[in-house]
Amino acid sequence: MKDLTTELSADEWDEAKFPRAEVQEFDRVVERAISRRGFLGGTLAFGSGAAVMGTAFLKATTAHAAQDSRFAFQQLAPQTDGTVHVPEGYSWKTLVRWGDPLFSDAPEFDRTTGHPAQGSDRVFGENTDGMELFNRRGVELLVVNSEYPNPKVNLTESVAALEERNRVIMEQYNERRTAAEAAGTELPPEPELEDQIVSSADDVLLLQQIQGVSVMEVVEGEEGWSVIVDSPYNRRIHHNTPMVLDGPAAGHDLLKTAANATGTRSLGTFNNCGSGRTPWGTYLTCEENFNGYFGTSSEVATDDTVMAGYQRYGISTDIEPGRYNYHGYDARFDISRNPNEPHRAGYIIEIDPWEPESTPVKHTALGRFKHENAAYALTPAGRVVVYMGDDERGEFMYKWVSRDVYVPGGDTSTLLSEGQLHVARFDDDMTGEWVALTPEATGMDAARIAIFTRMAGSAVGATTMDRPEWIAVNPTAVEGYCCLTNNSRRGTLAEDGSVRTNAGGDPMVVNAVNPRETNRYGQIVRWRPHDDDHGATTFDWDLYVMAGNPTVHQNGLYAGTANINAGNMFNSPDGMQIDTTGLIWIQTDGDDDNEGEFAGMGNNQMLAGDPVTGEIRRFLTGPKGSEVTGLTWSADRRTMFVGIQHPGAPFPDGEGALPRSAVITVKRNDGGLVG
Ligand code: FEO
Ligand code: CA
Ligand code: CA
């Protein structure tokens, strides 16, 4: 389909996209959505003249330089090199990298080849993501997710063996070709080169053990922060760690497997993306793209319910090794032999960091989907609310409300297992509803709602979103924020001319909360629950920011909202935390080629946003190729811990070394507060 948005002016685009009568209503809706008139009382709108009349409000202007800026730093310019940058007056340092020892018996890390499979459960994991810091009587524990592996970097021996096999294939081909040329006969066909890196049970074991969760004690000394190797709290949780299942799906037939005939236990946690915490001091890890670890060695023949689940959750039934090829060496991941195994993944898992021997609990009541993170709030009555996003194009946002109230020091065992899961519907009139996923509303029983939550959301008409990533709750106001990172298919047409859908067939039409067709930049939605109660089922919403590129698109939706300017551009907001002062820290996972639609944005980055003035400033940039994801603070709020995932450059060890995902610390040089 012709991309109208890049070839027409905003007005022309409007006219072509929507008949005039409709565009006026649509304009009003989007204007209200991004002007925050309702939330700010019109006192401090975005840039000068913003939020007025027709589409003019969409014209990006120089950022409103708030007189009373709350930022304690000058904006950092975009960067394109292979290292981390922070503003003047701040410093950063590497705390821990993939392969660093948590225990003194860990294998040594070689800077060019990595580490072996044996002992790979004794080191800090790969591809750092969500993290939380816990403090008890001066002991600080940093708990960090390791989301996914990078076989090209993690399995250097297998990569070398693959390259050698391909070298031999090419050598033999060249010999045949030379001979054919000499003889004047038909040239041989070009050979197909191999691309399968994962090629042994040891390879699979190594990958399984460098993902999951790392728990480690950290301490600040004269040289900065360090991990206390061999602390009794240190722990690695990975793809084979025993877990308990609780909630409505526990014990259900769909969870029974060869490894656990009762359906009440599970092995491992997968694709641990964002994080969360509970008011009672436990860690929540969130299973996102769990589907990618399962595969099949033969034709899959199972019942329609299970097959429909595979289809909705993206579990491949193609007979192929896939990227990780677990099923080639570990039958648990072969769905032709263990069709229910994928049903034990896709949950929120609670880990008690203070009890290294404790068994993590998979809370099925909070639903099964591609969980990004888990952000809690308390209702005025003391019920526990957990907001969650399902990061896939056109999937939904969810909210859990506990049945019982949280009492400090009291019993917390039911708070994530007894209650009600809801899914979000965002209406174009700037209100929305959390729709309860009950058997009556969905036509599904409680266990199936927990296992096939996406289908339950579809059944009640949830709003298809532009890939919900992290959700953050503002501790200084009763409101929540969600990064909607991008959606290249929003509003686009399938081959038959119909609007594209999510995997469940729900159309991804353009709507007020996802207002851009082919959304390449992303936006952050904010909602305020009615009655200042996170337990309320209704809310008002607006867009805190629509990212965009005002230097490429002088106006129109792709220029972004007026709090985006040539100086602070970014795309694909993803990680997000709100600090104790109410500033929003936004991390990006987007296109960092710095060209075309993304010119001037530089590498992925972390920005700070003021929810009151709308102002956004760039604070940190990651190395080329990396994603900046995961953020938490030391107990004294004088150190930020920031995650640098999958650096494309040899970060942080320098020339000739393997790139290593790392957690860094960031401090103010004067020792001041950073959140
Ligand atoms: Fe793991 Fe949606 O990011
Ligand atoms: Ca993410
Ligand atoms: Ca992302």
Side-chain angles (χ1 to χ4, degrees):
M1 185 192 172
K2 193 177 171 191
D3 185 356
L4 296 169
T5 57
T6 56
E7 295 176 18
L8 304 176
S9 74
D11 284 346
E12 288 168 330
W13 180 83
D14 264 348
E15 195 60 39
K17 190 84 186 86
F18 305 99
R20 182 48 57 190
E22 287 176 32
V23 79
Q24 288 167 351
E25 172 54 21
F26 186 76
D27 267 1
R28 275 201 301 279
V29 165
V30 183
E31 175 183 349
R32 286 198 304 270
I34 67 171
S35 71
R36 301 171 303 121
R37 193 176 284 160
F39 287 8
L40 298 179
T43 52
L44 260 180
F46 293 126
S48 55
V52 288
M53 291 180 284
T55 54
F57 74 95
L58 293 169
K59 186 171 174 140
T61 58
T62 304
H64 181 84
Q67 299 294 309
D68 53 349
S69 169
R70 291 200 292 142
F71 299 124
F73 61 91
Q74 292 301 313
Q75 173 153 280
L76 183 68
Q79 307 288 329
T80 57
D81 65 9
T83 190
V84 167
H85 295 271
V86 291
E88 217 177 297
Y90 290 76
S91 303
W92 69 274
K93 220 175 157 195
T94 303
L95 169 70
V96 63
R97 304 158 293 184
W98 155 54
D100 279 339
L102 300 193
F103 304 93
S104 50
D105 61 359
E108 201 161 319
F109 190 93
D110 182 287
R111 71 194 295 274
T112 60
T113 61
H115 59 71
Q118 273 60 45
S120 53
D121 56 347
R122 311 292 278 171
V123 302
F124 181 66
E126 166 67 310
N127 275 343
T128 183
D129 209 317
M131 62 178 127
E132 306 283 337
L133 185 130
F134 298 89
N135 170 48
R136 203 180 265 182
R137 292 185 288 277
V139 174
E140 294 187 63
L141 302 184
L142 189 61
V143 189
V144 188
N145 287 344
S146 282
E147 189 183 26
Y148 66 97
N150 183 358
K152 266 190 191 155
V153 174
N154 309 134
L155 302 173
T156 50
E157 269 185 33
S158 293
V159 170
L162 173 66
E163 285 171 352
E164 175 58 17
R165 289 199 300 278
N166 282 334
R167 192 191 63 74
V168 170
I169 291 171
M170 282 310 293
E171 194 174 79
Q172 291 171 346
Y173 163 72
N174 286 332
E175 279 170 17
R176 287 199 303 276
R177 187 188 162 97
T178 307
E181 279 170 350
T185 56
E186 197 181 338
L187 297 181
E190 288 239 3
E192 253 189 48
L193 294 180
E194 294 181 29
D195 61 2
Q196 185 54 48
I197 297 171
V198 181
S199 50
S200 71
D202 260 5
D203 282 354
V204 169
L205 183 69
L206 186 148
L207 297 185
Q208 289 177 336
Q209 294 192 148
I210 60 172
Q211 298 168 76
V213 179
S214 300
V215 182
M216 51 205 172
E217 186 177 351
V218 292
V219 68
E220 188 173 27
E222 297 214 334
E223 300 295 310
W225 287 85
S226 60
V227 173
I228 300 181
V229 174
D230 291 331
S231 160
Y233 295 108
N234 290 1
R235 182 178 189 189
R236 279 301 321 283
I237 291 162
H238 49 70
H239 287 189
N240 294 308
T241 304
M243 318 225 151
V244 170
L245 290 152
D246 83 350
H252 193 274
D253 281 352
L254 284 165
L255 265 54
K256 292 175 182 168
T257 70
N260 176 248
T262 64
T264 57
R265 297 184 75 83
S266 170
L267 280 177
T269 176
F270 301 93
N271 211 263
N272 306 81
C273 182
S275 58
R277 57 195 303 140
T278 63
W280 53 95
T282 55
Y283 182 75
L284 300 177
T285 187
C286 309
E287 297 185 313
E288 193 188 17
N289 296 303
F290 63 90
N291 53 315
Y293 301 105
F294 300 94
T296 183
S297 57
S298 57
E299 189 122 345
V300 179
T302 182
D303 65 61
D304 290 349
T305 303
V306 174
M307 288 300 271
Y310 292 166
Q311 198 271 335
R312 184 68 188 265
Y313 287 85
I315 290 152
S316 173
T317 54
D318 295 339
I319 303 170
E320 59 184 12
R323 186 158 181 239
Y324 306 133
N325 198 18
Y326 279 19
H327 59 285
Y329 300 93
D330 186 342
R332 189 156 70 87
F333 297 88
D334 185 337
I335 57 169
S336 68
R337 296 159 79 176
N338 288 292
N340 284 341
E341 192 66 35
H343 301 150
R344 305 202 296 175
Y347 297 106
I348 298 283
I349 293 105
E350 184 178 9
I351 296 167
D352 185 348
W354 300 102
E355 296 290 342
E357 301 299 323
S358 61
T359 305
V361 181
K362 290 198 161 188
H363 290 298
T364 68
L366 276 66
R368 175 170 169 266
F369 45 90
K370 294 187 179 178
H371 280 284
E372 181 72 20
N373 84 322
Y376 88 82
L378 291 174
T379 72
R383 288 192 171 80
V384 177
V385 168
V386 183
Y387 290 110
M388 301 168 285
D390 182 354
D391 180 9
E392 182 124 46
R393 282 189 290 261
E395 289 297 343
F396 311 136
M397 285 168 57
Y398 295 88
K399 180 177 85 164
W400 165 260
V401 184
S402 67
R403 181 193 65 191
D404 302 324
V405 300
Y406 166 60
V407 179
D411 177 20
T412 59
S413 63
T414 63
L415 297 178
L416 299 178
S417 57
E418 299 291 342
Q420 182 61 56
L421 189 62
H422 304 74
V423 71
R425 201 190 66 234
F426 287 83
D427 297 328
D428 285 357
D429 67 357
M430 310 286 304
T431 66
E433 184 177 346
W434 293 105
V435 183
L437 295 176
T438 60
E440 299 71 40
T442 62
M444 299 162 69
D445 64 31
R448 279 166 200 269
I449 292 169
I451 300 167
F452 297 123
T453 311
R454 286 181 166 182
M455 283 85 136
S458 291
V460 299
T463 301
T464 64
M465 306 298 284
D466 284 349
R467 296 188 48 203
E469 299 251 25
W470 285 62
I471 293 176
V473 171
N474 190 346
T476 66
V478 184
E479 60 187 23
Y481 294 73
C482 181
C483 288
L484 301 167
T485 196
N486 57 55
N487 185 347
S488 56
R489 295 188 195 160
R490 169 71 60 183
T492 63
L493 303 184
E495 274 167 20
D496 67 0
S498 61
V499 172
R500 283 187 202 277
T501 66
N502 65 13
D506 306 313
M508 294 191 291
V509 291
V510 171
N511 55 29
V513 71
N514 305 281
R516 291 181 290 191
E517 184 184 72
T518 319
N519 175 14
R520 47 180 88 78
Y521 296 126
Q523 67 267 17
I524 298 179
V525 63
R526 160 176 44 197
W527 62 96
R528 283 205 170 143
H530 288 162
D531 305 322
D532 283 341
D533 179 356
H534 280 290
T537 54
T538 53
F539 57 89
D540 295 323
W541 66 266
D542 71 356
L543 295 180
Y544 169 66
V545 63
M546 282 201 301
N549 193 327
T551 66
V552 172
H553 307 280
Q554 275 66 43
N555 47 39
L557 292 169
Y558 294 91
T561 38
N563 51 347
I564 294 299
N565 54 69
N568 70 359
M569 293 185 295
F570 63 94
N571 71 89
S572 305
D574 187 331
M576 183 165 53
Q577 294 276 9
I578 304 182
D579 69 25
T580 56
T581 71
L583 291 182
I584 308 170
W585 296 85
I586 303 160
Q587 302 174 317
T588 71
D589 170 25
D591 191 312
D592 71 349
D593 69 11
N594 205 32
E595 291 173 358
E597 296 285 335
F598 308 100
M601 295 180 176
N603 292 350
N604 278 305
Q605 53 192 288
M606 182 165 83
L607 309 101
D610 187 330
V612 179
T613 64
E615 186 187 7
I616 294 174
R617 272 190 201 178
R618 183 182 299 105
F619 176 79
L620 177 150
T621 57
K624 185 83 185 162
S626 72
E627 166 185 353
V628 181
T629 182
L631 170 66
T632 191
W633 287 267
S634 60
D636 67 6
R637 315 298 292 191
R638 292 176 197 279
T639 302
M640 284 175 146
F641 298 86
V642 182
I644 303 295
Q645 195 192 73
H646 62 80
F651 175 88
D653 297 351
E655 215 47 50
L658 291 171
R660 296 169 79 177
S661 170
V663 175
I664 63 168
T665 55
V666 180
K667 290 182 75 76
R668 266 173 70 156
N669 295 343
D670 65 5
L673 298 171
V674 291

